[in-house]
Amino acid sequence: MPEKSVGFWHLPPERLKEELRTLLVVTFGSALYCAGTVFFIKPAMLPNAGLMGICLFLNYVFGIPLGLSNTVLNMALFVFAYKFLPKRFFWWTLYSVAAVSFFMEFFETMPKPAFQDKMLLVIVSAILQGAALGTVFATGGSTGGTDIISVACRRKFGMELGNATMYMNFAVILLFLRVVPLENAVFGFLQSYLTSLVLNGGLRASAQRREALIITGNPELVRNYIVYTLHRGVTLFDAHGGWDNQKRCVIVSLLAPRQENQLKRFMKANDPSAFMRLSIASEVHGQGFQNWED
């Protein structure tokens, strides 16, 4: 079914709270991405990747301001995003691009740190940009540019965002062989690779949940704690022990990582004879977790 458009201030309270949190996260992520570019990549004339890499190329060669080229080059990709990708993704990407253009110009007015070690610049910028991209992607948006193509590749082919981003970034960095020393281009390839590692790691961590499988003789006690204290859903199965043939109940629940220790402490204090297995669910879709559109 097509997405139903709802005015921002007419959203349900929980959804409004989520979107306000997204506003803060996308703003922070956009600023972090710009800080990595302006303070660590540009002063050393290192190549960057993606659409921002093209913007840096134009800046190095023609002196075109980063904020201006970032805004103009994103316009064509916005047409694609509006037509083929979720509308929520489109609007948050549009906001992020505006925020990136603003922070690029804002940080340009500030003094730059004087680092001579290029490897240090590569590592710091990769961490900042990878964390920034992962933060924005996790909210269901992007910073625009080739990120839009990366999200489309993920939706179509199931590629990890970091990998799709890295392949396109390598192609963009080849442009810089004409304007920067070969050594800088090699550092650019390394920076792009490290950024993709940080991005993939951050996205996996944000999507992970803990799956608890509990075999207990006190199902109501455990169920009530998970449902009414942890506010998580549960599924119950009737079972019996293969050793003693006694009736048991199997409870399955998906938890946020922080709730894992809460449940372990509760089980230790209230049902120490139970059996509990905790495992990592790498990605969870559905009500209360990541929605299907994202």
Side-chain angles (χ1 to χ4, degrees):
M1 293 179 62
E3 294 179 67
K4 185 178 180 181
S5 179
V6 180
F8 184 78
W9 297 111
H10 299 288
L11 293 172
E14 284 302 314
R15 181 70 186 280
L16 180 60
K17 182 179 178 181
E18 177 188 345
E19 296 299 346
L20 289 173
R21 174 181 171 276
T22 300
L23 175 66
L24 295 176
V25 171
V26 171
T27 303
F28 172 76
S30 300
L32 197 63
Y33 181 82
C34 295
T37 301
V38 174
F39 293 143
F40 298 97
I41 291 179
K42 189 182 174 187
M45 285 289 288
L46 293 175
N48 200 7
L51 196 70
M52 187 53 64
I54 298 173
C55 294
L56 270 175
F57 177 80
L58 295 174
N59 181 267
Y60 293 163
V61 177
F62 303 109
I64 299 174
L66 291 176
L68 174 62
S69 57
N70 180 64
T71 301
V72 172
L73 292 177
N74 267 290
M75 291 300 105
L77 287 169
F78 278 145
V79 174
F80 170 82
Y82 186 81
K83 187 172 182 180
F84 295 105
L85 296 176
K87 295 302 178 285
R88 181 179 183 274
F89 170 85
F90 169 80
W91 290 115
W92 280 120
T93 298
L94 183 64
Y95 170 76
S96 180
V97 168
V100 166
S101 297
F102 168 77
F103 284 118
M104 283 293 182
E105 296 304 315
F106 175 74
F107 288 143
E108 285 283 10
T109 64
M110 301 176 67
K112 313 300 186 294
F115 292 112
Q116 301 301 320
D117 188 339
K118 287 186 179 179
M119 182 59 73
L120 177 62
L121 293 172
V122 165
I123 293 173
V124 174
S125 64
I127 292 173
L128 289 177
Q129 291 193 337
L133 291 172
T135 298
V136 175
F137 277 136
T139 65
S142 80
T143 57
T146 55
D147 293 350
I148 294 173
I149 302 174
S150 298
V151 170
C153 289
R154 176 178 172 82
R155 290 170 65 86
K156 182 69 175 178
F157 305 111
M159 296 175 64
E160 285 196 293
L161 283 170
N163 293 346
T165 301
M166 181 179 65
Y167 298 145
M168 286 183 289
N169 288 348
F170 281 179
V172 172
I173 290 173
L174 292 175
L175 288 173
F176 286 87
L177 291 175
R178 297 174 58 88
V179 295
V180 300
L182 179 60
E183 178 189 19
N184 285 20
V186 172
F187 276 121
F189 284 116
L190 177 61
Q191 195 270 349
S192 179
Y193 175 69
L194 293 177
T195 298
S196 72
L197 291 182
V198 176
L199 169 58
N200 281 338
L203 286 175
R204 290 193 198 107
S206 67
Q208 281 182 0
R209 295 295 182 266
R210 300 295 187 268
E211 181 181 21
L213 184 147
I214 304 166
I215 301 174
T216 177
N218 301 294
E220 282 303 304
L221 176 71
V222 179
R223 186 192 76 86
N224 288 340
Y225 178 76
I226 296 175
V227 172
Y228 297 113
T229 301
L230 298 183
H231 303 291
R232 289 297 179 188
V234 298
T235 301
L236 285 75
F237 302 93
D238 291 327
H240 65 274
W243 175 259
D244 58 11
N245 208 35
Q246 295 293 312
K247 287 186 176 181
R248 297 286 191 275
C249 180
V250 178
I251 299 176
V252 178
S253 182
L254 289 161
L255 311 171
R258 69 180 184 280
Q259 295 171 323
E260 178 183 349
N261 283 332
Q262 294 176 260
L263 181 59
K264 286 194 287 189
R265 287 195 295 268
F266 174 83
M267 296 301 295
K268 177 183 177 182
N270 297 279
D271 195 5
S273 63
F275 175 89
M276 181 169 71
R277 185 194 73 191
L278 289 165
S279 56
I280 294 176
S282 61
E283 196 169 336
V284 182
H285 295 273
Q287 186 175 0
F289 297 95
Q290 188 174 6
N291 69 57
W292 288 103
E293 275 300 321
D294 290 344

